[in-house]
Amino acid sequence: MSLLRQPILLLARSERVKQLVSILPVSSGIVTSYVPGETTQSAVDATAGLADAGLHATLDFLGEDTLDAEQADATVAAYTDLLSSLAARGLTRGAEVSVKLSAIGQALPDNGHKIALENARTICRAARNAGTSVTLDMEDHTTTDSTLAILRELRKDFPETGAVLQAYLHRTEADCRALAYEGSRVRLCKGAYNEPESVAWQDKLDVDLSYVRCLKVLMAGHGYPMIATHDPRMVEIASSLASRYGRVQGSYEFQMLYGIRPEEQRRLAAAGESVRVYVPYGHEWYGYLMRRLAERPQNLTFFARSLISKS
């Protein structure tokens, strides 16, 4: 991994740095490169723009590690409002939502797992009524078992609910095998949290090798793989594996983050591939931004320049 990755991820937990960064308006330089805005309207407008370009979307109302039940309820309300707004614009055919369980109660000290499950059910119901679906984002490794347990419960009533697995965790290849069944939607990403060596690969090559092993499992399985990567090599490998396992376009999709490699997103879509863009929005963009910087440390200079000019 880049030598800058872990220091940047540590900054994502720093309240002091967060307070300084938060003086930046969302329209500032590096922020707006990754986050289209803070409001439901800005998220819906971004989704419409992607749809015009032949791209699908998955929308994330930013927030995590919520320790306040009222804030968890507010996040649920934000998602239901978003889904209603997407439906009103006729956008739900190509747009779903991504939900972090820690933002809707998973981290609450009393009955967090149960609260997150019930809140997730509310969002899944709203999504189905709007004509779309939900994908459960994966967070740090301490939440993996709880998240997968909630996924199993949700899929009893909402089998369309998507899962996310992170290739840098040692356990993920086995999790892929368990989830590669018919009707199962699985987003495979590399992972963006600062995880210990005991549970996660630390070297970039090891993470890449794990990603390919996991991708083989999903492509050979009976589910719907969602290939979350910006790495040109992984895009090429995914295309090759699709051909090897007889997958037609539309039986899998590529996923990329809002603002990253937009030309490649459009190129793949023009070639007939299904491409979905991860669109984050809301006031709680700091942690998300820092993880994106950790993935692409070359952006740190631009970010620091923006911060200094506002301080």
Side-chain angles (χ1 to χ4, degrees), residues 105-170:
Q106 188 181 40
L108 291 173
D110 296 319
N111 299 316
H113 179 95
K114 181 179 179 181
I115 292 169
L117 172 58
E118 291 308 310
N119 283 336
R121 278 200 178 107
T122 298
I123 298 172
C124 285
R125 190 175 301 110
R128 179 176 286 179
N129 290 339
T132 187
S133 58
V134 173
T135 292
L136 298 184
D137 273 334
M138 192 63 76
E139 302 179 67
D140 72 84
H141 79 279
T142 64
T143 67
T144 302
D145 285 334
S146 172
T147 299
L148 291 177
I150 288 174
L151 174 74
R152 287 191 294 271
E153 287 300 313
L154 289 173
R155 283 186 169 180
K156 293 176 181 178
D157 295 318
F158 306 98
E160 66 273 19
T161 305
V164 177
L165 296 175
Q166 302 174 108
Y168 67 174
L169 295 181
H170 298 157

XYZ file of all heavy atoms in Angstrom, residues 105-170:
503
model
N -28.082 2.728 13.125
C -28.258 2.162 14.455
C -27.391 1.000 14.850
O -27.390 0.601 16.023
N -26.633 0.408 13.942
C -25.852 -0.780 14.257
C -24.874 -0.566 15.419
O -24.601 -1.490 16.189
C -25.083 -1.237 13.016
C -24.381 -2.576 13.139
C -23.628 -2.924 11.864
O -23.006 -2.058 11.244
N -23.700 -4.175 11.453
N -24.359 0.666 15.540
C -23.367 0.950 16.573
C -23.979 1.416 17.894
O -23.250 1.709 18.842
C -22.379 2.010 16.062
N -25.298 1.496 17.955
C -25.936 1.928 19.203
C -25.660 0.903 20.311
O -25.666 -0.310 20.070
C -27.437 2.088 19.002
C -27.866 3.256 18.097
C -29.361 3.215 17.836
C -27.481 4.585 18.718
N -25.419 1.369 21.526
C -25.003 0.460 22.604
C -26.062 -0.545 23.027
O -25.737 -1.640 23.476
C -24.649 1.408 23.754
C -25.392 2.681 23.450
C -25.429 2.774 21.964
N -27.319 -0.215 22.896
C -28.401 -1.114 23.304
C -29.210 -1.560 22.085
O -29.824 -0.742 21.403
C -29.336 -0.429 24.306
C -28.622 -0.087 25.608
O -27.834 -0.929 26.079
O -28.854 1.019 26.126
N -29.161 -2.866 21.790
C -29.957 -3.426 20.692
C -29.612 -2.830 19.331
O -30.485 -2.711 18.462
C -31.461 -3.258 20.960
C -31.907 -3.979 22.208
O -31.512 -5.119 22.441
N -32.721 -3.321 23.025
N -28.344 -2.442 19.144
C -27.951 -1.829 17.883
C -28.222 -2.707 16.669
O -28.699 -2.228 15.635
N -27.928 -3.991 16.796
C -28.146 -4.917 15.681
C -29.630 -4.959 15.303
O -29.989 -4.852 14.125
C -27.658 -6.317 16.080
C -27.838 -7.357 15.033
N -26.836 -7.703 14.136
C -28.913 -8.136 14.709
C -27.279 -8.649 13.336
N -28.533 -8.933 13.654
N -30.484 -5.087 16.303
C -31.928 -5.166 16.055
C -32.462 -3.861 15.479
O -33.290 -3.869 14.552
C -32.651 -5.498 17.359
C -34.165 -5.627 17.206
C -34.823 -5.986 18.522
C -36.340 -6.093 18.376
N -36.989 -6.418 19.680
N -31.996 -2.731 16.015
C -32.450 -1.427 15.521
C -32.045 -1.239 14.064
O -32.839 -0.791 13.228
C -31.882 -0.293 16.399
C -32.520 -0.347 17.793
C -32.122 1.072 15.756
C -31.841 0.548 18.806
N -30.793 -1.598 13.745
C -30.318 -1.465 12.367
C -31.127 -2.344 11.424
O -31.459 -1.933 10.294
C -28.837 -1.818 12.282
N -31.456 -3.549 11.861
C -32.258 -4.452 11.032
C -33.630 -3.852 10.746
O -34.088 -3.832 9.589
C -32.410 -5.800 11.734
C -33.372 -6.804 11.083
C -32.966 -7.101 9.649
C -33.426 -8.095 11.906
N -34.304 -3.337 11.766
C -35.632 -2.764 11.567
C -35.571 -1.515 10.695
O -36.431 -1.303 9.824
C -36.278 -2.459 12.914
C -36.641 -3.703 13.711
C -37.462 -4.690 12.888
O -38.462 -4.262 12.265
O -37.103 -5.887 12.855
N -34.557 -0.688 10.910
C -34.405 0.504 10.068
C -34.092 0.131 8.625
O -34.590 0.764 7.682
C -33.316 1.413 10.635
C -33.786 2.213 11.828
O -34.973 2.454 12.001
N -32.856 2.642 12.669
N -33.274 -0.898 8.448
C -32.963 -1.356 7.092
C -34.221 -1.893 6.412
O -34.426 -1.686 5.206
C -31.876 -2.419 7.130
N -35.057 -2.572 7.172
C -36.325 -3.061 6.606
C -37.185 -1.897 6.105
O -37.807 -1.981 5.044
C -37.101 -3.846 7.664
C -36.655 -5.284 7.840
C -37.751 -6.100 8.502
N -37.339 -7.498 8.630
C -36.998 -8.072 9.780
N -37.022 -7.364 10.898
N -36.648 -9.343 9.807
N -37.214 -0.827 6.871
C -37.995 0.348 6.467
C -37.486 0.906 5.142
O -38.267 1.238 4.246
C -37.915 1.430 7.556
O -38.486 0.932 8.767
C -38.663 2.691 7.133
N -36.162 0.980 5.004
C -35.582 1.508 3.769
C -35.824 0.545 2.614
O -36.155 0.964 1.494
C -34.077 1.785 3.952
C -33.866 2.853 5.036
C -33.454 2.257 2.643
C -32.416 3.060 5.434
N -35.660 -0.751 2.862
C -35.910 -1.739 1.807
C -37.357 -1.684 1.329
O -37.640 -1.795 0.127
C -35.581 -3.140 2.314
S -33.824 -3.504 2.446
N -38.279 -1.505 2.259
C -39.694 -1.413 1.887
C -39.951 -0.171 1.036
O -40.666 -0.231 0.016
C -40.553 -1.384 3.152
C -42.046 -1.540 2.899
C -42.809 -1.629 4.210
N -42.364 -2.766 5.016
C -41.674 -2.656 6.151
N -41.368 -1.460 6.632
N -41.322 -3.726 6.828
N -39.335 0.940 1.441
C -39.482 2.177 0.662
C -38.874 2.026 -0.725
O -39.422 2.526 -1.720
C -38.844 3.344 1.406
N -37.746 1.325 -0.796
C -37.093 1.111 -2.086
C -37.963 0.252 -2.996
O -38.135 0.543 -4.187
C -35.730 0.458 -1.876
N -38.520 -0.811 -2.443
C -39.385 -1.672 -3.260
C -40.609 -0.896 -3.743
O -41.014 -1.014 -4.914
C -39.824 -2.908 -2.470
C -40.746 -3.798 -3.275
C -41.091 -5.057 -2.523
N -39.979 -5.995 -2.494
C -40.032 -7.174 -1.869
N -41.135 -7.519 -1.192
N -39.009 -7.996 -1.914
N -41.203 -0.107 -2.869
C -42.365 0.689 -3.270
C -42.015 1.696 -4.359
O -42.871 2.054 -5.182
C -42.946 1.412 -2.060
C -43.611 0.471 -1.077
O -43.980 -0.646 -1.437
N -43.769 0.907 0.168
N -40.760 2.150 -4.353
C -40.311 3.104 -5.371
C -39.868 2.416 -6.651
O -39.610 3.081 -7.657
C -39.160 3.943 -4.817
N -39.753 1.099 -6.614
C -39.356 0.357 -7.805
C -37.877 0.104 -7.914
O -37.356 -0.085 -9.024
N -37.182 0.058 -6.773
C -35.741 -0.185 -6.826
C -35.314 -1.025 -5.627
O -36.139 -1.713 -5.018
C -34.960 1.140 -6.913
O -33.571 0.861 -7.132
C -35.140 1.992 -5.680
N -34.035 -0.991 -5.278
C -33.517 -1.889 -4.255
C -32.439 -1.212 -3.418
O -32.051 -0.067 -3.670
C -32.947 -3.162 -4.907
O -31.922 -2.811 -5.830
N -31.944 -1.977 -2.438
C -30.944 -1.489 -1.484
C -29.716 -2.397 -1.539
O -29.846 -3.615 -1.711
C -31.508 -1.501 -0.050
C -30.431 -1.150 0.980
C -32.698 -0.554 0.062
N -28.551 -1.805 -1.393
C -27.329 -2.574 -1.165
C -26.756 -2.169 0.188
O -26.664 -0.975 0.489
C -26.286 -2.313 -2.273
O -26.765 -2.869 -3.508
C -24.945 -2.964 -1.932
N -26.408 -3.158 1.008
C -25.822 -2.883 2.322
C -24.320 -2.689 2.180
O -23.594 -3.633 1.841
C -26.100 -4.032 3.286
C -27.551 -4.353 3.617
C -27.605 -5.457 4.657
C -28.299 -3.114 4.106
N -23.851 -1.490 2.450
C -22.413 -1.235 2.418
C -21.719 -2.034 3.516
O -22.294 -2.297 4.579
C -22.127 0.259 2.625
C -22.151 1.040 1.329
O -21.904 0.439 0.272
O -22.411 2.252 1.373
N -20.466 -2.404 3.262
C -19.663 -3.072 4.276
C -18.711 -2.056 4.888
O -18.173 -1.192 4.182
C -18.878 -4.238 3.666
C -18.250 -5.154 4.696
S -19.452 -5.994 5.764
C -20.100 -7.260 4.660
N -18.505 -2.163 6.206
C -17.644 -1.209 6.912
C -16.429 -1.953 7.483
O -15.971 -2.916 6.873
C -18.469 -0.472 7.951
C -19.665 0.252 7.297
C -20.539 0.996 8.263
O -20.076 1.985 8.850
O -21.700 0.580 8.439
N -15.903 -1.517 8.618
C -14.695 -2.165 9.116
C -15.004 -3.594 9.564
O -16.158 -3.979 9.762
C -14.068 -1.349 10.250
C -14.870 -1.433 11.527
O -14.685 -2.395 12.292
O -15.700 -0.529 11.753
N -13.958 -4.414 9.728
C -14.124 -5.856 9.888
C -14.909 -6.243 11.138
O -15.498 -7.323 11.179
C -12.758 -6.551 9.917
C -12.048 -6.445 11.233
N -11.342 -5.335 11.613
C -11.958 -7.322 12.276
C -10.832 -5.532 12.828
N -11.187 -6.720 13.245
N -14.963 -5.363 12.135
C -15.686 -5.706 13.365
C -17.195 -5.787 13.144
O -17.914 -6.341 13.977
C -15.398 -4.685 14.479
O -15.888 -3.394 14.089
C -13.898 -4.584 14.765
N -17.679 -5.239 12.039
C -19.116 -5.244 11.748
C -19.511 -6.293 10.708
O -20.697 -6.428 10.396
C -19.574 -3.864 11.238
O -18.978 -3.605 9.950
C -19.173 -2.758 12.208
N -18.535 -7.031 10.175
C -18.831 -7.929 9.050
C -19.863 -8.987 9.400
O -20.835 -9.202 8.652
C -17.546 -8.601 8.541
O -16.608 -7.582 8.137
C -17.834 -9.492 7.342
N -19.680 -9.674 10.524
C -20.620 -10.737 10.884
C -22.030 -10.185 11.102
O -23.013 -10.777 10.644
C -20.137 -11.465 12.139
C -18.964 -12.392 11.861
O -18.835 -12.854 10.716
O -18.156 -12.623 12.781
N -22.134 -9.061 11.800
C -23.437 -8.456 12.039
C -24.096 -8.043 10.726
O -25.296 -8.267 10.513
C -23.299 -7.237 12.965
O -24.520 -6.528 13.065
N -23.307 -7.448 9.830
C -23.854 -6.992 8.545
C -24.357 -8.159 7.717
O -25.451 -8.096 7.120
C -22.794 -6.198 7.777
O -22.415 -5.041 8.539
C -23.313 -5.757 6.421
N -23.599 -9.248 7.663
C -24.026 -10.410 6.888
C -25.248 -11.086 7.520
O -26.107 -11.615 6.807
C -22.873 -11.404 6.741
C -21.712 -10.929 5.855
C -20.598 -11.963 5.828
C -22.186 -10.615 4.432
N -25.333 -11.043 8.850
C -26.509 -11.598 9.522
C -27.752 -10.783 9.192
O -28.836 -11.337 8.934
C -26.282 -11.639 11.028
N -27.618 -9.465 9.186
C -28.739 -8.597 8.819
C -29.121 -8.812 7.359
O -30.310 -8.850 7.009
C -28.395 -7.122 9.109
C -28.383 -6.888 10.630
C -29.375 -6.174 8.421
C -27.910 -5.514 11.052
N -28.122 -8.987 6.502
C -28.396 -9.276 5.098
C -29.250 -10.536 4.959
O -30.235 -10.549 4.203
C -27.079 -9.458 4.339
C -27.212 -9.899 2.879
C -27.686 -8.737 2.008
C -25.882 -10.442 2.349
N -28.887 -11.588 5.685
C -29.658 -12.839 5.599
C -31.106 -12.630 6.021
O -32.034 -13.160 5.384
C -28.996 -13.920 6.467
C -27.700 -14.467 5.896
C -27.242 -15.702 6.640
N -26.858 -15.421 8.017
C -25.630 -15.065 8.389
N -24.669 -14.938 7.485
N -25.355 -14.842 9.658
N -31.316 -11.856 7.070
C -32.680 -11.589 7.523
C -33.453 -10.777 6.492
O -34.618 -11.071 6.193
C -32.644 -10.858 8.869
C -32.252 -11.726 10.041
C -33.215 -12.886 10.252
O -34.444 -12.646 10.237
O -32.753 -14.030 10.395
N -32.818 -9.742 5.954
C -33.490 -8.891 4.971
C -33.867 -9.667 3.719
O -34.935 -9.456 3.130
C -32.596 -7.707 4.597
C -32.399 -6.634 5.660
C -31.348 -5.637 5.197
C -33.712 -5.912 5.962
N -32.997 -10.574 3.300
C -33.248 -11.296 2.056
C -34.425 -12.264 2.158
O -34.918 -12.752 1.141
C -31.975 -12.016 1.599
C -30.976 -11.069 0.959
C -29.778 -11.791 0.370
N -28.980 -10.885 -0.468
C -27.867 -11.247 -1.107
N -27.410 -12.485 -1.001
N -27.211 -10.371 -1.837
N -34.880 -12.548 3.369
C -36.075 -13.375 3.508
C -37.296 -12.669 2.924
O -38.162 -13.299 2.305
C -36.315 -13.711 4.978
C -35.256 -14.615 5.587
C -35.510 -14.833 7.066
C -34.427 -15.715 7.692
N -34.645 -15.899 9.159
N -37.375 -11.364 3.118
C -38.496 -10.578 2.598
C -38.109 -9.733 1.386
O -38.970 -9.400 0.559
C -39.034 -9.652 3.688
C -39.643 -10.411 4.853
O -40.359 -11.394 4.606
O -39.374 -10.037 6.003
N -36.829 -9.392 1.298
C -36.333 -8.543 0.208
C -35.111 -9.213 -0.422
O -33.969 -8.793 -0.207
C -35.971 -7.152 0.738
C -37.081 -6.464 1.490
C -37.121 -6.493 2.879
C -38.094 -5.806 0.811
C -38.136 -5.871 3.576
C -39.122 -5.178 1.494
C -39.152 -5.220 2.886
N -35.329 -10.286 -1.188
C -34.201 -11.047 -1.747
C -33.332 -10.249 -2.701
O -32.209 -10.651 -3.000
C -34.893 -12.212 -2.471
C -36.288 -11.738 -2.723
C -36.636 -10.861 -1.567
N -33.840 -9.110 -3.153
C -33.070 -8.265 -4.065
C -32.005 -7.439 -3.359
O -31.197 -6.753 -4.009
C -34.014 -7.333 -4.830
C -34.730 -6.285 -3.961
C -36.024 -6.747 -3.333
O -36.248 -7.972 -3.241
O -36.829 -5.880 -2.926
N -31.953 -7.474 -2.033
C -30.987 -6.672 -1.281
C -29.556 -7.084 -1.621
O -29.211 -8.263 -1.578
C -31.207 -6.826 0.235
O -32.561 -6.495 0.538
C -30.281 -5.911 1.015
N -28.744 -6.109 -1.950
C -27.370 -6.377 -2.356
C -26.406 -6.429 -1.182
O -26.649 -5.838 -0.126
N -25.296 -7.141 -1.385
C -24.237 -7.262 -0.386
C -22.969 -6.610 -0.917
O -22.797 -6.432 -2.123
C -23.965 -8.733 -0.077
N -22.066 -6.274 0.007
C -20.742 -5.773 -0.363
C -19.705 -6.605 0.376
O -19.829 -6.852 1.575
C -20.567 -4.283 -0.007
C -19.143 -3.824 -0.336
C -21.573 -3.425 -0.757
N -18.686 -7.049 -0.347
C -17.565 -7.771 0.246
C -16.265 -7.067 -0.123
O -16.141 -6.510 -1.212
C -17.544 -9.216 -0.240
C -18.754 -10.073 0.162
C -18.677 -11.446 -0.494
C -18.852 -10.199 1.676
N -15.299 -7.116 0.805
C -14.036 -6.388 0.646
C -12.889 -7.373 0.482
O -12.603 -8.172 1.381
C -13.803 -5.490 1.865
C -14.938 -4.504 2.067
C -14.804 -3.699 3.347
O -14.498 -2.514 3.316
N -15.036 -4.340 4.488
N -12.213 -7.297 -0.656
C -11.218 -8.307 -1.017
C -9.995 -8.303 -0.120
O -9.276 -9.299 -0.065
C -10.796 -8.119 -2.474
N -9.724 -7.202 0.589
C -8.513 -7.208 1.411
C -8.660 -8.008 2.698
O -7.679 -8.287 3.378
C -8.013 -5.798 1.688
C -8.850 -4.874 2.545
C -8.348 -3.623 2.909
C -10.130 -5.205 2.981
C -9.086 -2.741 3.681
C -10.872 -4.333 3.753
C -10.345 -3.103 4.104
O -11.080 -2.234 4.874
N -9.873 -8.416 3.054
C -10.058 -9.254 4.228
C -9.752 -10.714 3.888
O -10.156 -11.217 2.833
C -11.484 -9.141 4.746
C -11.913 -7.768 5.280
C -13.359 -7.835 5.781
C -10.989 -7.270 6.380
N -9.075 -11.395 4.796
C -8.702 -12.787 4.554
C -9.927 -13.676 4.361
O -9.870 -14.673 3.636
C -7.882 -13.318 5.741
C -6.596 -12.589 5.969
N -5.953 -12.580 7.182
C -5.828 -11.837 5.144
C -4.853 -11.861 7.104
N -4.754 -11.390 5.876
